[in-house]
Amino acid sequence: MGGPEIDRLVGLLAKLPGLGPRSARRAALKLLQQPDTRMLPLAQALVEAAKAVKHCHICGNLDAQDPCTICADPNRDRSLICVVEGVGDLWAIERAGAHRGLYHVLGGVLSPLGGIGPEDLNLGPLLTRLADGTVTEVILALGATVDGAATVHWLSERLAGAGVAVSRVAHGVPMGGALEVLDDGTLSTALRARRPA
Ligand code: ZN
């Protein structure tokens, strides 16, 4: 094709989720044909996001400010923490407007096959957040996978002595389903119709 610069661009784009080599070539071509209106603004946005965006030290969300916009928002219900596997799940629940409380990003779920154990999850900071008695309920909003279910079970045991109610989302979530792929209505229903874990 057109030299190492283009090969490198296509190679990097092809590593993005949802883009294979074919879509990467199409995206690269689109960018190269509109350098001023598409490519340079994208490059600039990437650099700015890479510099500014970090994990919130309280909840693990990604934001340009720390504490993140959600943790810093005085209108959020501070008695309620929704525990999610990843930032993508947090974004999905926010998009659905399904939760008015705070979040905690676990950073994964227990996975014996994937080599993810309790020490790999962001649990300690959650226990710290529960210590001062402000939080009265923790909602476990993990995917309906085998690993997700095992993690809900493990977490509800770990949280049993923390003096908070622990609930889990109702799974109108299809078995094997990740939370972030649910449509807004299903997500809202799953959170509303939660039950004790
Ligand atoms: Zn936060």
Side-chain angles (χ1 to χ4, degrees):
M1 285 196 311
E5 291 83 2
I6 296 179
D7 288 347
R8 183 169 142 78
L9 176 61
V10 171
L12 287 169
L13 287 170
K15 291 200 174 69
L16 297 176
L19 291 188
R22 188 187 161 89
S23 328
R25 280 193 297 273
R26 286 176 55 207
L29 188 57
K30 189 80 182 170
L31 291 169
L32 290 164
Q33 283 169 337
Q34 295 172 297
D36 294 333
T37 55
R38 302 241 177 179
M39 196 163 200
L40 290 172
L42 175 65
Q44 198 174 354
L46 288 171
V47 170
E48 282 170 10
K51 282 185 186 157
V53 176
K54 297 176 181 61
H55 285 284
C56 170
H57 80 280
I58 299 172
C59 74
N61 187 18
L62 285 169
D63 200 312
Q65 64 176 61
D66 183 15
C68 72
T69 311
I70 294 171
C71 285
D73 182 350
N75 296 317
R76 307 288 302 208
D77 181 350
R78 293 184 178 273
S79 69
L80 212 52
I81 289 184
C82 181
V83 175
V84 293
E85 177 178 345
V87 174
D89 302 310
L90 186 161
W91 286 357
I93 295 171
E94 279 300 289
R95 239 186 1 252
H99 177 62
R100 289 301 306 157
L102 304 175
Y103 291 92
H104 194 81
V105 178
L106 209 50
V109 287
L110 296 177
S111 171
L113 292 177
I116 299 175
E119 67 284 356
D120 300 310
L121 302 182
N122 186 27
L123 177 66
L126 175 62
L127 297 175
T128 307
R129 295 176 72 185
L130 302 181
D132 73 358
T134 308
V135 177
T136 57
E137 182 182 355
V138 172
I139 304 164
L140 305 176
L142 303 177
T145 57
V146 173
D147 289 344
T151 308
V152 164
H153 182 74
W154 170 77
L155 265 177
S156 54
E157 284 187 344
R158 291 300 311 269
L159 298 174
V164 296
V166 181
S167 56
R168 59 185 163 131
V169 292
H171 283 304
V173 183
M175 267 315 284
L179 214 66
E180 63 177 311
V181 301
L182 294 179
D183 67 87
D184 294 359
T186 309
L187 248 181
S188 299
T189 307
L191 265 128
R192 261 199 317 277
R194 59 187 185 266
R195 57 180 189 268

